[in-house]
Amino acid sequence: MQVLTNSHFPVAIIGGGQAGLSISYCLKQRGIDHIIFEQNKIAHSWRSKRWDSFCLVTPNWQCMLPGYPYPGNDPNGFMQRDDIVRYIEDYASTFKPLIKEGVTVSKVRKPENVFEIDTSIGHYVADQVVVATGGYHTARIPRMAERLPASITQLHSSEYKNPESLPEGGVLVVGTGQSGCQIAEDLHLAGKQVHLCVGGAPRAPRTYRGKDVVDWLDQMGYYDMSIDDHPQKESVRAKANHYVTGRDGGREIDLRRFALEGMRLYGKLKHIQGEQLEFKDDLKHNLDQADAVAESIKATIDAFIEKNQLDAPIDSPYQTVWQPETSLLSLDLETANISTVIWSTGYHTDFSWIEIPVFDGKGYPGHERGVTPAQGLYFLGLPWLYTWGSGRFSGIARDANYLADCIALKNRVLPRQLSRNVNEVALGS
C-alpha cells in the first residue's frame, strides 16, 4: 500500500474493478495523476459474487482492457471465474495504479470548484471524479420473499456458490436472466430437483452457420453501434441480457430441453402465502418469446450473409422439443420438498452517496457518453453507457479512452482558469 503525502488529486476514481482500472491506465498514459478508491479488493465482484462454475458468456478474444488484450492461448474459449480474477489482477500489475483498497467512499459533493470526497480513511479533494462502480450495487429481492417460511433457505444469485452448499431438497430459482438460467443448469447437472420461474428474458443461439454468434455480431458491427443509433434508444439499458452459456466450451441454454430432462418450469412468480406459491399463466408465452428473439438473431445473420454473399453452412431449423401441456399455476413447497429459493432478480443501483444533482427520478445519472452536466464528474462501466460493451470487457477501452481525453482537456484548461482568476483578484477587478 502506497503512503499518500497529500489529499488533493487532479482525478479521483471511485471503484477498482475493470472500469476503474481501465480509466486509470488511460490517465497514466496521458500523464495525469490520480487515485483509485476501492471498497473491497481489485476484482471483488468477480471473486466474491460469482458461483464456482461461473464463466464468461462471451469469447475470451472480447476481453480487451486498454493496453491489455486477452493474453491466453484460448481466444475462442470462455474464461472461468478464477481466470477472470487473475486477468484483472495481472492487468493491474502491468501499470501499478495508486489504489487504496478496503476504503469506502461515503460522500461526494461539489460545493464550489472542486470535489469533496469523504472516505473511511479521511477527507480528499479532487479536481475531477470518475465514478466506476458499475450499475449492480444492492441485491434486488422482492418484498414477497418475506412471506416464505423461516425454514426455507433464501439466497440472492450473488450469494450462490455451488449445489453442495445448499440444504438437501429441491431448489426454486426465480428469474431467467443469465444468472438464473446458468444457476438452474448448474443445479440440474448436479442432480438437484430444480423448479424454475421463467420470466421475460430473451435467449440467444450460441453458434449459427459455422460461427459463434458473437463472431457474427462483431462482423456485422453490432458492438460498434452506439445507444443513439440503437432502435430502442435509452430503454435498452433496462432490458434483460440474453441467456446463453460459455460452460464446457459454450452452448445454448434451452429451457425446453431442461423440462424434458425433469426440470419443472412455471410462469412468473405472482404470490406467496406461507408454503403456497402462485404463478402467472405466462410460461408458454415467455418460452415462445425467448425463442422468437433467438430466431430473429438468426434471421439477421442470414440477411447479412446473403447481402454480402458469404460462404457459410446452412443450419437445420430450430425444433421445439417440449411444450407445456397444462399451466402449473400453484406449488406447495412442502409437497415439492423445496428447501431453497434462489432469487435471480437483479440489482438496484445506489448512487445516494453522490450529493450532486445529476440524477433522474430513478436514480440514474444523466450523462452523454459518461460525461455529466456537473463539470468534471464522469461515469464509467454502466451497461450501455455508450455501446453494448460499455459494461463489459469488450467495450470498456473505447469509453475509458474517450473519458480520459475529456479529462485531459479539462486538466489542461484548469491551470489557465486558475491563473486568470488569481490575476483578476490581484488586480482588484
Side-chain angles (χ1 to χ4, degrees), residues 21 45 61 75 85 126 169 186 209 241 310 373 386 390 394 396 408 418:
L21 293 174
S45 291
W61 62 261
V85 172
D186 194 47
R209 301 195 65 175
N241 291 321
L310 302 177
Y386 183 60
S390 288
S394 61
I396 195 69
L418 180 60

Side-chain angles (χ1 to χ4, degrees), residues 201-205 208-209 213 216-217 220 222 230-232 242 252 287-305 318:
R203 73 177 183 88
Y208 185 60
R209 301 195 65 175
V213 165
W216 281 121
L217 294 176
M220 292 160 60
Y222 177 77
H230 196 282
Q232 298 176 4
H242 300 66
E252 291 186 24
L287 290 173
D288 289 346
Q289 189 65 30
D291 289 345
V293 172
E295 292 304 296
S296 72
I297 293 172
K298 293 179 182 179
T300 302
I301 294 170
D302 288 337
F304 176 77
I305 291 171
Y318 171 73

Side-chain angles (χ1 to χ4, degrees), residues 153 155 159-171 183 187 192 339-342:
T153 297
L155 302 173
E159 300 171 296
Y160 170 73
K161 296 304 176 188
N162 53 59
E164 296 73 32
S165 64
L166 302 183
E168 291 292 325
V171 183
I183 289 172
L187 295 165
K192 285 276 192 181
S339 61
T340 305
V341 174
I342 298 177

